[in-house]
């Protein structure tokens, strides 16, 4: 089959655009089909978590995201000023924010940041308040710079998948591709047409999120508020509201959202009857429908983001989960397209991402359960609230919310293996993230070990090799980092008690110079990057 593009991505939201960028970095031709003619301005997720921030940092996008965050912080400051001017009581900046669980705030001043799970994310740790709309605009611009073809106003209507490619039908003609990836949301057309099973649990809530112009808001509590009739949120920007009611899903999720509907919901949940909503700037309904496909791949058709898993939006988990999917899938699909992928590489996409998706579904179900406005749940909520006043509980919940707990089950005993690589400060003045911008894997030689570097010979542009000292982790001697930032192999230098004696004994197991450690490096290189070949492209 002659292809119009190596890969077609259905859906031009943040997940589809991130995937397209990752593919384009590897010289894979990509067409993105997006049914909307402009960036979606509907209010959605307002923040990114640690894995997402690290991913964008490693691709050189952190300065742009930091500028977006400055705007978000200014909107929060404006919200506080407006409340003070309106005479709202108890208006003051909250303590350092560490996230929330079911609307129970986590105080950053109770966070044990020395916990090893927080690792060393570097400058990425300073950026998190990035609204989804702004992120989509940045990714669209980056995709254009990388040569991605974004076709707006085009709807995928069908496709025929075969062994050698996919013939796609759209509202604007047809095209042929080697692979189709559905990033087209919770009601994915790709998922439905491909016949993916979508088991899960049915919804029990109706949620609204909106930006509005209203009066009477000074009587509302700021932030998250749990009441006897549900949950509501006011802020952190002027006019932003969110309500959660536990009387079942909406009768029609597609019906226009009116000021009257939002006003009735907010009055019901908050108990403030003087609220008057005069204008709706942007609004959305949501539920806690929680479902996940068992396998993210069916032949030449794959799913990512909400197309593969849906759940309630609390904490912006959906956006972040989807960005993780795109990072994991991008380089693996590119390797498959370019012909150097080792056997089974593409199947590791489901193997690694499905467990994290399943955890997110359970995490959001637990939050919905803890938000129910009945007496037993409210008693349990009191217990959890008391727990989050401790360092241990705050640290536990914050690690889960931030995503720093995430780890893939990879071979190897080193504590870094399977985790996001630390953003090491190197002796040449660079940081580890600086060497990941091109989307290739990196073998970092921190002990000037020629034998270690020799193991990567023949991998060409699949694995870059860099030799440098490490300023703050002198015990770390070598690191193999996949294109998605995951540590595939690591080794330490021998400590004083591990120094080989003078009898000619080989290096200590677990150090770069030892046969055992280098054998593990060989295995990791073959597992993720195939057979070395000096002619590989």
């Amino acid at each position: 089959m002659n292809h119009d593009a190596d890969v077609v991505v259905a859906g031009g939201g943040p997940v589809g655009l991130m995937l397209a960028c990752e593919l384009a970095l590897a010289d894979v031709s990509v067409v993105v089909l997006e049914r909307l003619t402009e960036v979606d301005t509907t209010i959605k997720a307002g923040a990114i978590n640690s894995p997402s921030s690290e991913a964008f940092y490693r691709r050189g996008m952190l300065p742009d995201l930091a500028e977006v965050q400055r705007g978000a912080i200014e909107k929060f400051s404006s919200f506080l000023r407006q409340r003070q001017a309106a005479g709202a009581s108890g208006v003051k900046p909250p303590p350092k924010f560490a996230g929330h669980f079911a609307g129970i705030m986590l105080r950053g001043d109770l966070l044990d940041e020395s916990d090893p799970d927080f690792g060393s994310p570097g400058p990425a740790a300073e950026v998190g308040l990035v609204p989804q709309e702004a992120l989509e605009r940045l990714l669209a611009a980056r995709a254009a710079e990388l040569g991605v073809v974004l076709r707006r106003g085009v709807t995928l209507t069908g496709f025929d998948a075969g062994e050698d490619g996919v013939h796609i039908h759209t509202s604007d003609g047809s095209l042929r591709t080697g692979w189709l990836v559905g990033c087209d949301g919770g009601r994915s057309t790709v998922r439905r047409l491909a016949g993916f099973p979508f088991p899960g649990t049915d919804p029990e809530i109706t949620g609204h999120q909106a930006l509005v112009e209203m009066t009477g808001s000074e009587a509302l509590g700021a932030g998250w508020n749990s009441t006897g009739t549900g949950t509501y949120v006011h802020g952190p920007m002027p006019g932003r509201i969110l309500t959660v009611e536990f009387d079942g899903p909406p009768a029609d999720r597609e019906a226009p959202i009116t000021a009257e509907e939002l006003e009735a919901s907010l009055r019901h949940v908050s108990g403030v009857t003087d609220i008057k909503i005069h204008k709706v700037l942007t609004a959305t309904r949501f539920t806690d429908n929680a479902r996940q496909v068992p396998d993210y791949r069916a032949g030449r058709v794959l799913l990512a983001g909400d197309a593969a898993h849906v759940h309630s939006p609390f904490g912006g988990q959906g956006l972040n989960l989807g960005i993780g999917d795109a990072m994991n899938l991008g380089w693996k699909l590119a390797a498959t397209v370019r012909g150097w992928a080792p056997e089974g590489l593409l199947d590791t996409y489901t193997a690694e991402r499905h467990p994290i998706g399943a955890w997110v579904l359970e995490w959001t179900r637990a939050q919905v359960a803890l938000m129910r406005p009945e007496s037993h749940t409210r008693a349990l909520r009191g217990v959890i609230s008391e727990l989050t006043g401790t360092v241990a509980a705050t640290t536990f919940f914050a690690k889960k919310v931030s995503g720093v707990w995430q780890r893939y089950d990879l071979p190897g005993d080193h504590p870094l293996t399977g985790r996001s690589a630390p953003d090491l400060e190197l002796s040449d003045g660079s940081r580890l993230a600086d060497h990941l911008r091109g989307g290739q894997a990196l073998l970092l030689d921190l002990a000037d070990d020629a034998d270690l570097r020799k193991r990567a010979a023949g991998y060409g542009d699949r694995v870059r090799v860099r030799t440098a000292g490490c300023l703050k982790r002198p015990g770390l001697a070598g690191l193999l980092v996949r294109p998605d930032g995951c540590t595939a192999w690591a080794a330490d230098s021998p400590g004083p008690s591990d120094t080989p004696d003078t009898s000619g004994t080989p290096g200590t197991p677990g150090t770069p110079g030892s046969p055992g450690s280098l054998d593990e490096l060989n295995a990791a290189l073959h597992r993720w990057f195939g057979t070395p070949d000096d002619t590989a492209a």
Side-chain angles (χ1 to χ4, degrees):
M1 178 186 291
N2 293 323
H3 298 154
D4 298 302
D6 294 323
V7 179
V8 168
V9 176
V15 177
L17 291 171
M18 187 68 180
L19 175 61
C21 290
E22 289 299 292
L23 292 166
L25 275 180
D27 295 324
V28 171
S29 61
V30 191
V31 172
V32 178
L33 306 177
E34 171 52 52
R35 63 179 181 82
L36 299 179
T37 57
E38 301 291 341
V39 171
D40 188 0
T41 59
T42 304
I43 185 169
K44 294 183 180 177
I48 56 176
N49 67 3
S50 292
S52 295
S53 184
E54 287 180 297
F56 297 128
Y57 170 43
R58 290 164 179 153
R59 298 299 186 255
M61 295 181 63
L62 205 61
D64 289 337
L65 296 178
E67 184 63 31
V68 170
Q69 178 172 264
R70 279 190 283 272
I73 292 173
E74 174 53 35
K75 288 182 179 179
F76 175 59
S77 298
S78 176
F79 172 70
L80 292 180
R81 290 194 297 268
Q82 286 188 16
R83 285 182 59 79
Q84 289 171 335
S89 61
V91 179
K92 61 180 180 179
K96 181 181 176 183
F97 181 59
H100 75 85
F101 181 73
I104 300 171
M105 294 297 105
L106 305 175
R107 290 173 44 186
D109 58 342
L110 293 177
L111 184 64
D112 178 9
E113 296 185 74
S114 68
D115 188 293
D117 280 344
F118 287 110
S120 304
E126 303 303 317
V127 175
L129 295 177
V130 180
Q132 184 165 328
E133 178 190 344
L135 178 59
E136 184 174 330
R137 293 186 187 279
L138 290 176
L139 286 171
R142 175 173 168 79
E145 292 173 359
L146 292 172
V148 172
V149 177
L150 174 56
R151 295 177 59 184
R152 290 196 173 275
V154 177
T155 302
L156 182 147
T157 58
F159 60 85
D160 303 299
E163 293 184 1
D164 59 346
V166 186
H167 187 192
I168 297 174
H169 314 286
T170 79
S171 58
D172 190 34
S174 63
L175 65 161
R176 297 177 182 271
T177 184
W179 299 85
L180 170 63
V181 185
C183 300
D184 50 343
R187 283 164 268 187
S188 168
T189 298
V190 174
R191 184 187 67 231
R192 176 175 56 82
L193 294 178
F196 283 91
F198 205 37
T201 52
D202 293 331
E204 62 178 77
I205 69 171
T206 292
H208 297 89
Q209 183 177 202
L211 278 178
V212 301
E213 293 178 1
M214 60 182 170
T215 53
S217 63
E218 62 274 8
L220 295 173
W224 285 77
N225 300 269
S226 178
T227 74
T229 51
T231 295
Y232 76 93
V233 183
H234 183 210
M237 64 185 74
R240 190 257 182 163
I241 58 171
L242 181 149
T243 63
V244 181
E245 298 174 273
F246 285 80
D247 52 0
D252 182 3
R253 283 192 63 182
E254 302 301 320
I257 302 174
T258 65
E260 291 75 17
E261 178 184 348
L262 292 172
E263 183 180 293
S265 179
L266 186 55
R267 287 183 174 188
H268 174 245
V269 175
S270 69
V272 178
T273 58
D274 292 335
I275 289 288
K276 182 64 179 178
I277 294 179
H278 303 281
K279 185 177 181 180
V280 180
L281 305 177
T282 174
T284 184
R285 292 187 191 88
F286 62 87
T287 74
D288 58 325
N289 180 39
R291 300 183 181 279
Q292 182 181 30
V293 296
D295 195 321
Y296 292 5
R297 177 188 176 192
R300 287 182 172 267
V301 180
L302 300 107
L303 302 176
D306 289 349
H309 36 69
V310 296
H311 47 79
S312 69
F314 303 130
Q317 292 282 355
L319 169 64
N320 292 295
L321 185 57
I323 294 298
D325 290 348
M327 287 296 293
N328 190 285
L329 174 60
W331 72 275
K332 295 174 181 177
L333 183 54
T336 304
V337 170
R338 295 185 62 190
W340 60 258
E343 184 177 357
L345 178 66
L346 200 52
D347 292 329
T348 66
Y349 167 53
T350 294
E352 292 181 350
R353 295 303 299 172
H354 192 280
I356 294 178
W359 176 86
V360 168
L361 263 67
E362 289 294 273
W363 182 258
T364 57
R365 287 183 181 119
Q367 291 186 78
V368 170
L370 197 57
M371 293 164 69
R372 290 177 183 144
E374 50 90 21
S375 58
H376 289 74
T377 298
R378 292 178 68 79
L380 178 60
R381 187 178 182 88
V383 173
I384 300 299
S385 296
E386 187 174 348
L387 276 174
T388 58
T390 67
V391 170
T394 294
T395 302
F396 168 81
F397 281 109
K399 288 196 298 184
K400 297 296 186 179
V401 170
S402 67
V404 300
W405 65 274
Q406 295 178 13
R407 180 177 186 174
Y408 299 139
D409 185 16
L410 305 188
D413 297 328
H414 196 281
L416 290 178
T417 303
R419 292 189 177 275
S420 178
D423 189 41
L424 303 175
E425 296 181 56
L426 305 179
S427 57
D428 60 5
S430 66
R431 303 184 74 107
L432 184 141
D434 297 328
H435 304 286
L436 296 175
R437 292 190 178 184
Q440 298 103 340
L442 174 68
L443 178 59
L444 192 58
D445 170 21
L446 300 170
D448 196 9
D449 188 329
D451 199 12
L452 182 151
R453 297 192 297 272
K454 183 178 178 181
R455 303 300 172 117
Y459 281 97
D461 68 352
R462 286 177 271 173
V463 182
R464 296 183 61 203
V465 181
R466 185 81 179 184
T467 300
C470 183
L471 298 182
K472 295 185 178 180
R473 296 188 67 158
L476 189 61
L479 206 66
L480 176 63
V481 184
R482 302 189 325 192
D484 58 355
C486 174
T487 305
W489 169 87
D492 294 326
S493 299
S497 61
D498 300 323
T499 303
D501 60 29
T502 57
S503 63
T505 304
T508 305
T511 69
S514 69
S517 180
L518 292 178
D519 285 347
E520 289 178 1
L521 173 58
N522 278 347
L525 286 165
H526 280 77
R527 175 184 177 89
W528 301 114
F529 310 111
T531 304
D533 180 355
D534 289 330
T535 65

